[in-house]
Amino acid sequence: MLVEFSVQNHRSFCDRQRFLMTASSSKTPNAVATGNNGAPYVHQQACLFGANGAGKSGLVASIKTFGLLVRDSFKDVELLIKNYEPHLFHSEWRNKPTEFEIAFLHDDSLFQYGFTYDAERILEEWLFERPSATRKQRRIFSREYDPKNDAYEWETNPTYLKGERQSWQAQTREDALFISTAIQLNAEPLKRPFSWLSRKLQVILAEESIENYTVGRLNEESWKAKVLAFLADVDFRLEDVVAEERALYETARFKNLPVKQQKALRHAIPEEAKTWEVYTYRNDEKGTKVLLDFENESSGTRALFALIGPIMDSLEKGHTLIVDELNVHLHPLALRHLMCMFSSPNTNPREAQIIFTTHDPTVTEEEGIGRDQIWLVEKGDDWASRLTPFSDYKTRNKQSFQKGYLQGRYGAIPCLVSP
């Protein structure tokens, strides 16, 4: 479970900003008791509000970038420079390092992992662990670049980082993370935290096309049944849905494109490229199944269909799912249904989490959303984004949020000029 994520000097974020999933007590709505004294109670849901361009998507993108560097920095020598995006609107920050840090609960331990980097190298990297059993934090490893000696100073714990430590260090490039490099060299002690960082943390940006995950498993009968049941629960009633994998250039979707666009795609995409064609079926008034190309379904149906795969996967495996603009094309009641699935132990036995950005303040009316699960993102006059939990505002109760937010009482809304 995600406990905390912090970012400094990345895109619209300047000074260090912290996003927390910790709950103040067991009485907080939807709080999970962890058994770890480092984070006794953690939320399963949180939502972020802010005006367009305030930095909500930027936070999601920061977490996405963090995960990408953890997974792939060992194999892509250009990954660091491609993902070094310091804050541009302040001269002191343009050439400073970016810092990411995350705290998460996994395998009965609280891990704290982070790193700083610039366009050339990893400057610092660290990993700490606090097992629930001992209740004491221990350093697993740390490294820090010393510019005077043009070398790294390492600290590794031989008790908990057993194996070829010297070899792992020697083979870690200056533009690669130690954790991702050592994993490729079969560093057994690091597999526990790396498995959460690379698999359990799932991030979906607003512009991403994600429907292939749902589509790709439709040939599994049990999966298809769950997809149809999921759609029925939110009143999208289909008799069947099927997917066929076909050559891209043979599909009607491609053939219906303008000739100029077809030529451009043929130049950019290999001839053997394949894609999925999806069809849905509904019954007519006589009970006969009628086929409909998925492209002709409503945008809401397509959006929800794309999300079904990641949502079901998260609930089944206990992932932390972070979605930018979750409510786009979704009816408010469908969105609330999704939230209820994460708050119910019947549908969420593995204690999965969902974190999402939205412009719809009505979602805060759900019982599972408490004051410290509502976050506000606002960009100041210095063009830097800042995170503020709603619990920082002294209001009588959460019910005042919707009205007060739309009235601008808490900021994080667009400043509109009257016509």
Side-chain angles (χ1 to χ4, degrees):
M1 300 181 77
L2 177 67
V3 174
E4 177 180 342
F5 179 79
S6 67
V7 54
Q8 179 173 283
N9 197 29
H10 187 251
R11 298 177 64 154
S12 66
F13 293 99
C14 189
D15 53 324
R16 188 171 186 246
Q17 298 295 304
R18 301 170 66 208
F19 172 75
L20 303 171
M21 288 294 285
T22 49
S24 55
S25 71
S26 60
K27 296 181 180 180
T28 304
N30 224 20
V32 174
T34 68
N36 191 292
N37 66 332
Y41 303 99
V42 176
H43 292 300
Q44 290 178 285
Q45 301 181 50
C47 49
L48 296 103
F49 293 87
N52 294 325
K56 304 185 306 298
S57 297
L59 179 66
V60 177
S62 294
I63 301 174
K64 186 87 171 181
T65 298
F66 165 84
L68 178 66
L69 291 172
V70 169
R71 288 190 304 272
D72 295 338
S73 64
F74 77 96
K75 65 181 181 182
D76 188 343
V77 296
E78 296 184 354
L79 196 61
L80 212 62
I81 191 170
K82 288 187 291 188
N83 289 279
Y84 175 60
E85 301 177 83
H87 186 71
L88 297 178
F89 297 103
H90 197 293
S91 57
E92 291 185 10
W93 288 93
R94 284 182 202 136
N95 297 308
K96 283 188 175 183
T98 292
E99 178 180 311
F100 294 134
E101 186 176 51
I102 197 167
F104 59 95
L105 288 154
H106 177 60
D107 201 16
D108 211 27
S109 282
L110 174 64
F111 291 96
Q112 181 182 344
Y113 172 72
F115 54 89
T116 65
Y117 69 99
D118 59 19
E120 297 180 358
R121 60 173 55 85
I122 303 295
L123 298 167
E124 294 181 71
E125 185 180 5
W126 58 91
L127 174 66
F128 293 86
E129 179 184 6
R130 184 192 296 266
S132 298
T134 64
R135 304 170 70 85
K136 294 181 180 179
Q137 182 170 279
R138 59 198 185 200
R139 183 200 309 265
I140 305 301
F141 76 84
S142 64
R143 62 192 280 222
E144 183 174 357
Y145 178 70
D146 181 0
K148 291 183 179 180
N149 299 318
D150 190 25
Y152 285 95
E153 296 180 357
W154 289 84
E155 287 192 38
T156 57
N157 192 322
T159 302
Y160 303 109
L161 190 61
K162 297 178 180 179
E164 302 296 325
R165 296 186 303 279
Q166 299 297 327
S167 175
W168 302 337
Q169 294 174 28
Q171 295 185 66
T172 301
R173 303 189 319 272
E174 64 180 12
D175 58 358
L177 291 168
F178 175 67
I179 192 170
S180 54
T181 303
I183 283 294
Q184 302 307 309
L185 302 172
N186 203 30
E188 190 69 31
L190 296 179
K191 288 183 178 179
R192 291 169 58 235
F194 186 80
S195 66
W196 190 91
L197 292 168
S198 60
R199 297 173 189 166
K200 295 280 190 178
L201 184 63
Q202 301 291 320
V203 183
I204 300 174
L205 299 175
E207 66 270 17
E208 280 188 284
S209 177
I210 59 171
E211 68 181 38
N212 280 351
Y213 184 83
T214 305
V215 171
R217 295 183 61 184
L218 284 178
N219 290 328
E220 303 173 28
E221 286 301 320
S222 60
W223 177 265
K224 180 193 284 192
K226 291 178 181 178
V227 169
L228 291 173
F230 191 109
L231 288 168
D233 285 345
V234 291
D235 206 25
F236 288 117
R237 300 187 183 278
L238 302 177
E239 290 302 314
D240 199 4
V241 56
V242 297
E244 298 176 0
E245 191 174 26
R246 298 182 60 188
L248 173 63
Y249 301 125
E250 295 178 3
T251 62
R253 187 189 312 176
F254 175 78
K255 292 178 180 178
N256 290 333
L257 293 173
V259 174
K260 185 179 288 188
Q261 196 169 346
Q262 288 187 27
K263 289 181 178 179
L265 285 173
R266 286 187 180 276
H267 180 74
I269 302 175
E271 190 69 29
E272 63 274 12
K274 293 186 177 182
T275 188
W276 291 100
E277 285 201 325
V278 183
Y279 304 94
T280 57
Y281 290 86
R282 288 180 174 83
N283 287 342
D284 65 11
E285 85 285 358
K286 295 181 179 180
T288 303
K289 283 187 178 181
V290 178
L291 178 146
L292 185 66
D293 190 301
F294 193 66
E295 293 299 310
N296 294 322
E297 290 285 356
S298 71
S299 58
T301 301
R302 297 199 305 272
L304 184 59
F305 183 83
L307 285 168
I308 288 174
I311 288 171
M312 286 173 44
D313 213 32
S314 298
L315 291 169
E316 290 177 2
K317 299 176 182 178
H319 290 171
T320 293
L321 180 64
I322 304 173
V323 185
D324 190 21
E325 298 185 16
L326 177 62
N327 63 317
V328 172
H329 303 306
L330 294 182
H331 191 279
L333 294 179
L335 177 57
R336 291 186 184 185
H337 177 75
L338 298 184
M339 295 169 62
C340 289
M341 293 184 74
F342 278 84
S343 61
S344 170
N346 295 325
T347 50
N348 188 11
R350 302 293 299 275
E351 298 178 345
Q353 295 170 297
I354 187 165
I355 301 162
F356 59 94
T357 70
T358 181
H359 293 289
D360 179 11
T362 64
V363 301
T364 62
E365 296 174 1
E366 292 300 308
E367 292 185 2
I369 295 290
R371 292 168 52 84
D372 50 357
Q373 294 166 265
I374 303 169
W375 286 77
L376 302 163
V377 188
E378 188 166 27
K379 190 173 287 184
D381 294 336
D382 57 358
W383 298 101
S385 298
R386 292 177 175 83
L387 297 171
T388 306
F390 179 53
S391 55
D392 278 6
Y393 291 90
K394 306 304 178 184
T395 58
R396 287 179 296 174
N397 52 53
K398 185 193 68 173
Q399 279 67 35
S400 63
F401 175 78
Q402 181 179 344
K403 182 178 180 181
Y405 173 67
L406 293 177
Q407 290 177 342
R409 200 174 300 166
Y410 315 118
I413 60 170
C415 296
L416 305 177
V417 178
S418 300

PDB file of all heavy atoms in Angstrom, residues 216-226:
ATOM      1  N   GLY A 216      -7.371  -7.781 -24.281  1.00  0.00           N
ATOM      2  CA  GLY A 216      -6.459  -8.903 -24.477  1.00  0.00           C
ATOM      3  C   GLY A 216      -6.796 -10.153 -23.689  1.00  0.00           C
ATOM      4  O   GLY A 216      -6.290 -11.233 -24.002  1.00  0.00           O
ATOM      5  N   ARG A 217      -7.676 -10.025 -22.695  1.00  0.00           N
ATOM      6  CA  ARG A 217      -8.014 -11.191 -21.864  1.00  0.00           C
ATOM      7  C   ARG A 217      -9.449 -11.663 -22.068  1.00  0.00           C
ATOM      8  O   ARG A 217      -9.932 -12.517 -21.326  1.00  0.00           O
ATOM      9  CB  ARG A 217      -7.770 -10.852 -20.395  1.00  0.00           C
ATOM     10  CG  ARG A 217      -6.311 -10.600 -20.058  1.00  0.00           C
ATOM     11  CD  ARG A 217      -6.117 -10.335 -18.581  1.00  0.00           C
ATOM     12  NE  ARG A 217      -6.529 -11.450 -17.752  1.00  0.00           N
ATOM     13  CZ  ARG A 217      -6.540 -11.439 -16.418  1.00  0.00           C
ATOM     14  NH1 ARG A 217      -6.163 -10.345 -15.780  1.00  0.00           N
ATOM     15  NH2 ARG A 217      -6.923 -12.482 -15.730  1.00  0.00           N
ATOM     16  N   LEU A 218     -10.125 -11.121 -23.087  1.00  0.00           N
ATOM     17  CA  LEU A 218     -11.524 -11.485 -23.284  1.00  0.00           C
ATOM     18  C   LEU A 218     -11.709 -12.940 -23.698  1.00  0.00           C
ATOM     19  O   LEU A 218     -12.802 -13.493 -23.579  1.00  0.00           O
ATOM     20  CB  LEU A 218     -12.173 -10.568 -24.320  1.00  0.00           C
ATOM     21  CG  LEU A 218     -12.535  -9.165 -23.845  1.00  0.00           C
ATOM     22  CD1 LEU A 218     -13.122  -8.351 -24.977  1.00  0.00           C
ATOM     23  CD2 LEU A 218     -13.508  -9.214 -22.670  1.00  0.00           C
ATOM     24  N   ASN A 219     -10.641 -13.575 -24.199  1.00  0.00           N
ATOM     25  CA  ASN A 219     -10.752 -14.989 -24.552  1.00  0.00           C
ATOM     26  C   ASN A 219     -10.769 -15.890 -23.324  1.00  0.00           C
ATOM     27  O   ASN A 219     -11.022 -17.087 -23.445  1.00  0.00           O
ATOM     28  CB  ASN A 219      -9.612 -15.394 -25.486  1.00  0.00           C
ATOM     29  CG  ASN A 219      -9.759 -14.782 -26.866  1.00  0.00           C
ATOM     30  OD1 ASN A 219     -10.872 -14.565 -27.338  1.00  0.00           O
ATOM     31  ND2 ASN A 219      -8.642 -14.491 -27.520  1.00  0.00           N
ATOM     32  N   GLU A 220     -10.475 -15.319 -22.156  1.00  0.00           N
ATOM     33  CA  GLU A 220     -10.606 -16.065 -20.899  1.00  0.00           C
ATOM     34  C   GLU A 220     -12.066 -15.950 -20.449  1.00  0.00           C
ATOM     35  O   GLU A 220     -12.535 -14.860 -20.138  1.00  0.00           O
ATOM     36  CB  GLU A 220      -9.677 -15.486 -19.825  1.00  0.00           C
ATOM     37  CG  GLU A 220      -8.206 -15.448 -20.211  1.00  0.00           C
ATOM     38  CD  GLU A 220      -7.376 -14.713 -19.175  1.00  0.00           C
ATOM     39  OE1 GLU A 220      -7.766 -14.695 -17.985  1.00  0.00           O
ATOM     40  OE2 GLU A 220      -6.344 -14.136 -19.561  1.00  0.00           O
ATOM     41  N   GLU A 221     -12.765 -17.072 -20.428  1.00  0.00           N
ATOM     42  CA  GLU A 221     -14.201 -17.037 -20.137  1.00  0.00           C
ATOM     43  C   GLU A 221     -14.501 -16.431 -18.770  1.00  0.00           C
ATOM     44  O   GLU A 221     -15.458 -15.671 -18.612  1.00  0.00           O
ATOM     45  CB  GLU A 221     -14.793 -18.453 -20.238  1.00  0.00           C
ATOM     46  CG  GLU A 221     -14.927 -18.952 -21.660  1.00  0.00           C
ATOM     47  CD  GLU A 221     -15.806 -18.041 -22.508  1.00  0.00           C
ATOM     48  OE1 GLU A 221     -16.839 -17.543 -21.997  1.00  0.00           O
ATOM     49  OE2 GLU A 221     -15.458 -17.798 -23.681  1.00  0.00           O
ATOM     50  N   SER A 222     -13.696 -16.776 -17.773  1.00  0.00           N
ATOM     51  CA  SER A 222     -13.952 -16.236 -16.431  1.00  0.00           C
ATOM     52  C   SER A 222     -13.747 -14.721 -16.420  1.00  0.00           C
ATOM     53  O   SER A 222     -14.482 -13.984 -15.759  1.00  0.00           O
ATOM     54  CB  SER A 222     -13.036 -16.899 -15.403  1.00  0.00           C
ATOM     55  OG  SER A 222     -11.665 -16.666 -15.712  1.00  0.00           O
ATOM     56  N   TRP A 223     -12.747 -14.257 -17.160  1.00  0.00           N
ATOM     57  CA  TRP A 223     -12.490 -12.819 -17.240  1.00  0.00           C
ATOM     58  C   TRP A 223     -13.636 -12.109 -17.949  1.00  0.00           C
ATOM     59  O   TRP A 223     -14.127 -11.079 -17.496  1.00  0.00           O
ATOM     60  CB  TRP A 223     -11.170 -12.577 -17.966  1.00  0.00           C
ATOM     61  CG  TRP A 223     -10.817 -11.132 -18.175  1.00  0.00           C
ATOM     62  CD1 TRP A 223     -11.068 -10.383 -19.287  1.00  0.00           C
ATOM     63  CD2 TRP A 223     -10.147 -10.258 -17.255  1.00  0.00           C
ATOM     64  NE1 TRP A 223     -10.587  -9.106 -19.126  1.00  0.00           N
ATOM     65  CE2 TRP A 223     -10.014  -8.991 -17.888  1.00  0.00           C
ATOM     66  CE3 TRP A 223      -9.642 -10.428 -15.967  1.00  0.00           C
ATOM     67  CZ2 TRP A 223      -9.403  -7.917 -17.274  1.00  0.00           C
ATOM     68  CZ3 TRP A 223      -9.026  -9.344 -15.361  1.00  0.00           C
ATOM     69  CH2 TRP A 223      -8.914  -8.106 -15.999  1.00  0.00           C
ATOM     70  N   LYS A 224     -14.086 -12.678 -19.081  1.00  0.00           N
ATOM     71  CA  LYS A 224     -15.183 -12.063 -19.818  1.00  0.00           C
ATOM     72  C   LYS A 224     -16.441 -11.977 -18.955  1.00  0.00           C
ATOM     73  O   LYS A 224     -17.150 -10.973 -18.970  1.00  0.00           O
ATOM     74  CB  LYS A 224     -15.496 -12.845 -21.093  1.00  0.00           C
ATOM     75  CG  LYS A 224     -16.636 -12.214 -21.891  1.00  0.00           C
ATOM     76  CD  LYS A 224     -17.167 -13.144 -22.967  1.00  0.00           C
ATOM     77  CE  LYS A 224     -16.228 -13.205 -24.135  1.00  0.00           C
ATOM     78  NZ  LYS A 224     -16.870 -13.877 -25.313  1.00  0.00           N
ATOM     79  N   ALA A 225     -16.710 -13.031 -18.193  1.00  0.00           N
ATOM     80  CA  ALA A 225     -17.893 -13.023 -17.329  1.00  0.00           C
ATOM     81  C   ALA A 225     -17.806 -11.894 -16.309  1.00  0.00           C
ATOM     82  O   ALA A 225     -18.808 -11.220 -16.019  1.00  0.00           O
ATOM     83  CB  ALA A 225     -18.034 -14.366 -16.627  1.00  0.00           C
ATOM     84  N   LYS A 226     -16.620 -11.654 -15.782  1.00  0.00           N
ATOM     85  CA  LYS A 226     -16.436 -10.581 -14.810  1.00  0.00           C
ATOM     86  C   LYS A 226     -16.615  -9.207 -15.469  1.00  0.00           C
ATOM     87  O   LYS A 226     -17.183  -8.296 -14.874  1.00  0.00           O
ATOM     88  CB  LYS A 226     -15.054 -10.684 -14.168  1.00  0.00           C
ATOM     89  CG  LYS A 226     -14.881 -11.885 -13.256  1.00  0.00           C
ATOM     90  CD  LYS A 226     -13.466 -11.942 -12.713  1.00  0.00           C
ATOM     91  CE  LYS A 226     -13.265 -13.168 -11.818  1.00  0.00           C
ATOM     92  NZ  LYS A 226     -11.870 -13.260 -11.323  1.00  0.00           N
TER      93      LYS A 226
END
